[in-house]
Amino acid sequence: MDPQPTMHSITVNANIDFEYTLTPGDAVADGEEATLTLDSYEDGYEFVHWYETTTESVLSEDASTTFTVERSMVIEAVFQSADDNDDNGGNGDNGDNGENGDNNDEPAPLDSITIHYIDVGQADATFIEGANYNILIDAGRTHWNSQNKTIPYLQDLGIERIDLVIGTHPHMDHIGDLDVVLDLFDVGLVWKSGYVHDTATYDRVHAAISDALDAGDIEYDEPRFGDTLTLGQKELKVLNPVPDFGGIHDASISFILTHGDVRFMFTGDAEQTQENNMINRASDKGWSLDVDVYQAGHHGSSTSSTLPFMEAMTPSTTIYSAGEGNSHGHPHQEFLDNVAAVNSALYGTDVNGNITVTSNGLVYEVSVERGEAIMVHAPIVPGYDHEIARLLIEPDKRFAFA
């Protein structure tokens, strides 16, 4: 039986809601013809064309377009406000991604930062590289695990000093090489959750921190909800844990990193209970949880990244860290469904290898070691004349649209 067309919906930049069908459904193959049909969209906008990004070609200016699937394809549905035709006169010479001539009202970019989501297998290690301050969030598994590339990755970058090292919680796949980090790099401040874990890994890392603290080589803190830390042009706002945390995942250090207008969320392995608590605590404080980039909690497990939390953050990009073919089945389908529900682009270290996000405080850019985005819902940069919704047509993969 031929697959049936399925209706899908996308919201673009909180402005345009539109619906489309992809025929022959959600299972397209190389060499197969597929048809995209625009079914409806919000009043006040005009459909411009279907556009294929790799060949940089317009597929059709009609509501329907038929094309041959030959590879992973990113197809854009391009819209413009009906007012643009009257007021803006098209793109003209009015901008090259923020180069606005004598317009002094535009904010100046900050020093760039690069966030490295390191491919360390079924573990976590994320490095934030700034002009003057560096931060390491978790350190992967122990160095004798062949998948852990934390130390060589940092050495290849030429890193000598790390201003802040964060062990989100004391599971081996997060703090496994933290003691080696203390031994090989000049570390300023160490954050740990304070949860005591009865394992050899915990004992080894705890001893290394104690020795470095006794020698006066580092400073140490156990941050709690409401704490803030400013490092250069970056601010960290702590959302978890609270003093009376429960289990080991409940104790995960979770925070928002703000770099100008670009915001990043990190939650360790925090799960549903603490995600709900973070929503409530932020509301009580009047803090927004809205972020641009979210590192998925607990490796893309169904226990984290719940729909209420995703809806509170509305990240335009989500990144998870997991090992290829891992025994846990990460990322779980529930997680994938929640990412799709909030229209977030999705990348994973099991699919994309090392992932980097570079921000100048105004916009950010994602780069991957290999492959393409698993799901594509690209953010729209304010100020462009046209609004763009991106759809990923990926043959014989888990997702045929996004």
Side-chain angles (χ1 to χ4, degrees):
M1 179 181 295
D2 292 335
Q4 296 299 307
T6 304
M7 176 86 71
H8 309 291
S9 298
I10 284 185
T11 299
V12 185
N13 197 28
N15 289 328
I16 302 172
D17 290 307
F18 84 96
E19 296 179 334
Y20 66 94
T21 55
L22 173 62
T23 307
D26 290 346
V28 291
D30 281 322
E32 183 175 298
E33 280 199 342
T35 300
L36 278 168
T37 301
L38 180 67
D39 297 287
S40 62
Y41 55 92
E42 193 173 276
D43 290 340
Y45 290 86
E46 296 178 352
F47 176 71
V48 179
H49 54 233
W50 296 105
Y51 184 83
E52 207 284 304
T53 62
T54 302
T55 60
E56 298 184 347
S57 60
V58 173
L59 294 178
S60 174
E61 295 181 1
D62 299 325
S64 182
T65 180
T66 300
F67 53 94
T68 300
V69 178
E70 297 176 345
R71 63 193 180 284
S72 296
M73 307 173 73
V74 177
I75 296 177
E76 298 179 343
V78 182
F79 299 83
Q80 69 177 8
S81 169
D83 294 334
D84 286 343
N85 286 331
D86 299 327
D87 299 334
N88 294 336
N91 284 329
D93 296 324
N94 194 27
D96 296 314
N97 292 332
E99 297 292 335
N100 291 313
D102 296 327
N103 186 353
N104 294 323
D105 294 333
E106 289 294 320
L110 304 178
D111 290 336
S112 290
I113 65 169
T114 299
I115 302 186
H116 304 258
Y117 301 82
I118 308 172
D119 179 10
V120 289
Q122 187 62 24
D124 258 314
T126 305
F127 184 64
I128 303 170
E129 182 182 13
N132 300 302
Y133 293 89
N134 296 323
I135 303 170
L136 177 65
I137 307 167
D138 290 330
R141 293 177 180 269
T142 49
H143 60 277
W144 54 81
N145 183 300
S146 61
Q147 289 185 309
N148 189 10
K149 304 176 179 66
T150 308
I151 302 302
Y153 190 97
L154 296 177
Q155 291 173 329
D156 287 347
L157 289 176
I159 301 302
E160 296 180 354
R161 176 173 173 81
I162 305 174
D163 299 277
L164 172 62
V165 171
I166 301 173
T168 59
H169 66 288
H171 271 151
M172 182 185 69
D173 58 329
H174 289 255
I175 65 165
D177 245 5
L178 204 150
D179 57 323
V180 183
V181 170
L182 292 175
D183 182 48
L184 296 181
F185 300 93
D186 176 18
V187 174
L189 172 64
V190 173
W191 277 5
K192 280 177 66 255
S193 67
Y195 187 95
V196 177
H197 198 33
D198 186 18
T199 64
T201 298
Y202 175 86
D203 291 343
R204 173 169 45 80
V205 171
H206 180 73
I209 292 173
S210 297
D211 290 346
L213 192 59
D214 290 343
D217 295 334
I218 64 168
E219 296 182 28
Y220 176 79
D221 196 10
E222 296 174 359
R224 295 294 180 260
F225 165 67
D227 291 347
T228 60
L229 177 67
T230 300
L231 292 173
Q233 297 173 321
K234 303 181 289 291
E235 181 191 62
L236 281 69
K237 186 172 289 186
V238 179
L239 301 169
N240 195 66
V242 292
D244 56 344
F245 56 75
I248 188 169
H249 285 165
D250 294 336
S252 288
I253 296 174
S254 305
F255 62 94
I256 291 176
L257 170 72
T258 300
H259 179 241
D261 294 334
V262 183
R263 287 156 57 90
F264 302 82
M265 176 74 82
F266 304 91
T267 62
D269 278 0
E271 298 180 315
Q272 179 176 357
T273 298
Q274 290 312 316
E275 289 181 351
N276 291 338
N277 289 340
M278 283 188 266
I279 293 172
N280 294 331
R281 292 178 203 136
S283 177
D284 291 343
K285 280 270 193 180
W287 289 356
S288 170
L289 292 184
D290 187 64
V291 298
D292 299 285
V293 182
Y294 165 53
Q295 179 167 351
H298 204 184
H299 316 282
S301 169
S302 60
T303 63
S304 303
S305 307
T306 56
L307 186 56
F309 195 56
M310 296 296 291
E311 290 176 335
M313 293 185 294
T314 61
S316 51
T317 298
T318 299
I319 299 171
Y320 67 87
S321 178
E324 185 175 2
N326 66 85
S327 61
H328 303 282
H330 295 153
H332 290 157
Q333 188 61 49
E334 295 91 336
F335 160 74
L336 300 171
D337 291 343
N338 292 341
V339 172
V342 298
N343 212 20
S344 180
L346 179 64
Y347 300 85
T349 56
D350 58 338
V351 174
N352 302 118
N354 298 314
I355 302 164
T356 58
V357 178
T358 302
S359 164
N360 65 1
L362 299 176
V363 295
Y364 70 89
E365 180 179 2
V366 181
S367 300
V368 298
E369 182 180 12
R370 61 179 183 267
E372 304 286 344
I374 301 167
M375 287 190 276
V376 180
H377 290 286
I380 305 301
V381 179
Y384 278 48
D385 290 333
H386 296 90
E387 304 286 2
I388 300 172
R390 291 178 182 166
L391 300 87
L392 176 67
I393 311 300
E394 189 168 11
D396 303 321
K397 294 293 179 65
R398 184 162 37 191
F399 301 97
F401 71 92

